[in-house]
Amino acid sequence: MTFAPITLPAAMQADLETAYALPPRAYHSFAHVRAVLQHCQEVAEGPGWTQPREVQLAALYHDAIYDAGRSDNETRSAALARAQIERWLPGAGVDVARVEQLIGLTARHGALGRDDVDDQAALFLDCDMAILGAPADVFEAYDRGIAEEYAGHVPGFLFRINRRRFLAQLLKRPRIFLSDFFHQRLDAAARANLRRRLGR
C-alpha cells in the first residue's frame, strides 16, 4: 500500500517526477521517494501521523532539487514545494510552513538529537534515514549510489574522507534513529551496515 493521504493533480505529479530525473541520479531518484513513502506508510500503520498530508508532500519534495556537492539543495527543494503546493493545491488547506520545515530538517541528518525535533519530525527524518538499516545488499547499493552522484562534482579523495567521517559519526551516536519506532526496528541492522562499511 502506498502512503498517499492526498492525491496530486496529474500535472503536479508529472512536474515532480521530471524534477527527480534531472540531473540523472544514482540514489536520490524517485525510487528513493517511493521507499521513503513506504516507511511513511509503516508509521501510518503504527504510531501514526498527526499531519499526514504534510508528511507526504515533504517526502515527495525533500530531494526534488539535488545537485551533489551543493549545500542549499534542501532550501531550494522546500521553496519548490511551496511554489508547487500554492500552484496546484491552493484550496487544500495544506500547512506549507510545516512541509518546508520538514524538508529543511533533512539538511541536518546526523546532527540532530531527540530533543531537537518534535516526535513527528523525528519519525519523518527516520523514514528518510531508514536505508541505513536496510538489508546489506540494499545498503551497499545505496552507498555506491551516493559515491556515483558525487563523482565529477567533488574530488574522489575528499568525498571518501567526508563520507567516512559522516558514517563514523553516525556510528558513534548513542542513537542513529531519533524515534523509538525506528530505533527498535533498525538500530542493530544499521550499526552492522556501518561497521562493515567502515571495516570495524
Side-chain angles (χ1 to χ4, degrees):
M1 180 177 178
T2 301
F3 181 69
I6 189 169
T7 300
L8 272 57
M12 184 180 187
Q13 180 75 26
D15 282 355
L16 181 64
E17 294 192 25
T18 297
Y20 274 91
L22 301 169
R25 309 172 190 190
Y27 174 70
H28 290 96
S29 65
F30 206 73
H32 165 60
V33 172
R34 285 193 289 267
V36 172
L37 289 172
Q38 181 56 50
H39 292 298
C40 289
Q41 180 60 33
E42 292 164 5
V43 172
E45 295 168 0
W49 299 107
T50 57
Q51 292 180 291
R53 297 184 308 165
E54 286 74 10
V55 166
Q56 177 195 356
L57 288 164
L60 286 170
Y61 281 93
H62 76 286
D63 286 323
I65 295 177
Y66 184 81
D67 292 323
R70 287 190 60 148
S71 61
D72 61 350
N73 289 320
E74 294 81 6
T75 300
R76 294 161 68 210
S77 294
L80 177 63
R82 171 175 284 278
Q84 291 287 288
I85 292 167
E86 290 175 349
R87 178 182 181 188
W88 296 109
L89 300 170
V94 173
D95 183 349
V96 182
R98 178 60 165 174
V99 176
E100 290 181 302
Q101 179 194 30
L102 291 173
I103 294 172
L105 287 171
T106 65
R108 300 171 62 195
H109 278 312
L112 295 167
R114 292 185 71 190
D115 296 334
D116 296 323
V117 295
D118 61 75
D119 290 345
Q120 293 275 296
L123 285 163
F124 172 74
L125 291 168
D126 286 350
C127 286
D128 192 28
M129 291 289 275
I131 185 66
L132 296 175
D137 60 329
V138 177
F139 174 86
E140 288 164 9
Y142 143 75
D143 197 52
R144 289 192 303 271
I146 297 293
E148 184 177 331
E149 288 178 343
Y150 273 83
H153 297 277
V154 176
F157 76 93
L158 188 59
F159 168 79
R160 289 188 291 275
I161 290 171
N162 289 335
R163 180 69 174 162
R164 186 173 183 85
R165 180 183 299 131
F166 173 69
L167 297 178
Q169 287 173 344
L170 287 175
L171 186 58
K172 285 182 197 173
R173 292 172 65 87
R175 290 176 67 110
I176 293 172
F177 298 101
L178 301 175
S179 67
D180 290 340
F181 183 70
F182 282 93
H183 174 73
Q184 292 163 3
R185 295 163 70 241
L186 296 180
D187 182 79
R191 291 187 186 280
N193 283 331
L194 292 172
R195 289 192 188 100
R196 186 178 61 258
R197 170 63 173 75
L198 295 166
R200 297 181 180 178

